[in-house]
Amino acid sequence: MKIILMEPLGISEDTLKRLSDKLTEQGHTFKAYDTVTTDTDELIERAEDAEVLIIANHPLPGEVIRADKKLKLVSVAFVGIDHVDVEACKKAGVLISNTGGYCDDAVAELAIGLTLDCLRNITECNAVVQDGLGKGNLAGYELAGKTVGIVGTGAIGVRAAAIFKVFGCKLIGYNRSEKIAAKALGLEYMSLIDVMAKADIISVHTPLTPETKGLIGEKEIAAMKQGAIIVNTARGPVIETEALAKALKERRIKAGIDVFEKDPPLPESHPLIGVPNLLCTPHVGFDTRESIDRRAEMVFENVTSWIGGNQIRKVL
């Protein structure tokens, strides 16, 4: 069986060899590309005649899937699969497995970090010290006692909720279905607009689907309390960028944003460049040393398990 790693996974050569040796020792062929390309023709060339493709978070267009007539499985070293042409996979009978769970702690912890920075002005405090100044008017707010709205109570949302609870926060949330694990934490489910209106802090953890694109728009942002904080470590298009930028410019709310329509670097014309009350990170929520090694183990485990007749972490 021909197995191709289409892009680097951010792991050491020793780790890659250890994981790939499990495949080659069974008689399969394995090839790894150590550069990223988004050129469709080059992706088609890389994938030629492969039965299994391993990818991370760069696009896998339908043209590549349709060109590879032998393709049977795509193992995705990522939670979301919105960068894969799922319809093309369905039509071709190609299965998809992801690595759901590899970065639950990493993303949840960044959401907490962004929240704390927004509350305590940590980045601004560092800047004034480096500039030889004193604290001035940089008194912050405590996280304890705040009402936190979790939008999307999947595994990462529930993990974030658990950490917020440890800080002494009241939990409310919105999801298309109620989760037992979230309710066990004391989270109270309500409508999205009620969550937006009642929460001091809103932490977004929904996947990007046609239903969640633009889920939080002008109406929802307008419902937020004066001075409330919205944190997005999920997907950029879940929040309407223009509506968010408008509220930030009016200094009605604060935001901590790790995700955008496309990963940084952002163009100078991007609506969020230069706006006040905003703390940004360049899509690093998933990216810790531990999580990257963990996802590599999982993405190869997907392949070996499928070869053995059991598809795990199935999303298609």
Side-chain angles (χ1 to χ4, degrees):
M1 187 168 292
K2 184 177 181 180
I3 301 156
I4 303 293
L5 172 60
M6 297 283 280
E7 59 184 291
L9 293 177
I11 56 177
S12 69
E13 290 186 13
D14 287 344
T15 299
L16 179 60
K17 184 177 186 305
R18 174 176 59 80
L19 294 172
S20 60
D21 278 354
K22 295 177 182 179
L23 297 169
T24 56
E25 286 169 2
Q26 294 177 1
H28 305 293
T29 61
F30 176 82
K31 182 172 183 177
Y33 287 91
D34 59 5
T35 59
V36 172
T37 182
T38 56
D39 180 80
T40 300
D41 290 337
E42 186 172 349
L43 288 169
I44 290 172
E45 185 178 340
R46 290 185 180 190
E48 186 177 7
D49 291 334
E51 285 123 310
V52 177
L53 297 180
I54 300 174
I55 66 169
N57 62 328
H58 290 89
L60 186 65
E63 294 92 330
V64 180
I65 295 159
R66 287 187 288 271
D68 185 357
K69 302 301 183 184
K70 295 184 179 180
L71 185 61
K72 297 180 178 67
L73 174 72
V74 178
S75 185
V76 183
F78 219 59
V79 179
I81 59 167
D82 46 280
H83 57 301
V84 179
D85 191 328
V86 175
E87 288 303 315
C89 287
K90 286 180 180 178
K91 290 179 180 178
V94 175
L95 303 174
I96 304 175
S97 289
N98 71 353
T99 50
Y102 85 91
C103 62
D104 290 359
D105 287 327
V107 176
E109 289 174 9
L110 181 64
I112 306 299
L114 290 169
T115 300
L116 289 170
D117 198 326
C118 287
L119 285 168
R120 297 303 305 271
N121 306 310
I122 296 169
T123 298
E124 294 172 76
C125 286
N126 174 69
V128 298
V129 173
Q130 295 295 332
D131 289 341
L133 303 172
K135 68 177 183 179
N137 189 29
L138 285 172
Y141 294 89
E142 295 174 3
L143 180 53
K146 296 294 186 292
T147 297
V148 175
I150 305 293
V151 178
T153 54
I156 296 174
V158 168
R159 181 63 184 134
I163 301 173
F164 277 118
K165 183 177 180 179
V166 172
F167 277 89
C169 298
K170 177 184 176 181
L171 301 174
I172 60 176
Y174 168 78
N175 200 68
R176 64 182 180 182
S177 61
E178 297 187 3
K179 304 294 184 180
I180 294 173
K183 295 175 77 170
L185 292 170
L187 183 145
E188 179 185 356
Y189 280 101
M190 54 187 65
S191 69
L192 177 59
I193 201 70
D194 283 344
V195 170
M196 301 299 295
K198 294 180 180 182
D200 302 300
I201 297 142
I202 296 146
S203 194
V204 181
H205 298 285
T206 64
L208 180 61
T209 67
E211 293 73 30
T212 63
K213 185 176 182 180
L215 178 71
I216 297 174
E218 187 172 358
K219 175 184 173 183
E220 289 75 22
I221 291 171
M224 291 173 65
K225 295 179 180 179
Q226 175 70 34
I229 296 165
I230 187 165
V231 173
N232 189 7
T233 54
R235 288 290 185 272
V238 173
I239 300 178
E240 290 184 2
T241 303
E242 293 286 354
L244 176 62
K246 181 176 182 289
L248 292 169
K249 289 175 183 176
E250 294 170 353
R251 299 181 186 271
R252 291 196 293 104
I253 63 170
K254 282 189 170 184
I257 303 295
D258 183 52
V259 286
F260 308 86
E261 300 86 351
K262 293 184 179 180
D263 283 356
L266 301 177
E268 291 183 6
S269 60
H270 192 278
L272 295 180
I273 294 295
V275 301
N277 284 12
L278 176 63
L279 176 67
C280 292
T281 49
H283 198 185
V284 297
F286 69 94
D287 196 2
T288 65
R289 302 297 182 188
E290 296 91 343
S291 66
I292 295 304
D293 283 346
R294 191 179 300 121
R295 77 172 187 175
E297 298 278 353
M298 294 168 74
V299 82
F300 275 88
E301 184 184 29
N302 288 345
V303 177
T304 54
S305 183
W306 173 76
I307 290 172
N310 178 33
Q311 185 187 1
I312 57 174
R313 305 184 187 97
K314 180 178 180 177
V315 289
L316 180 64

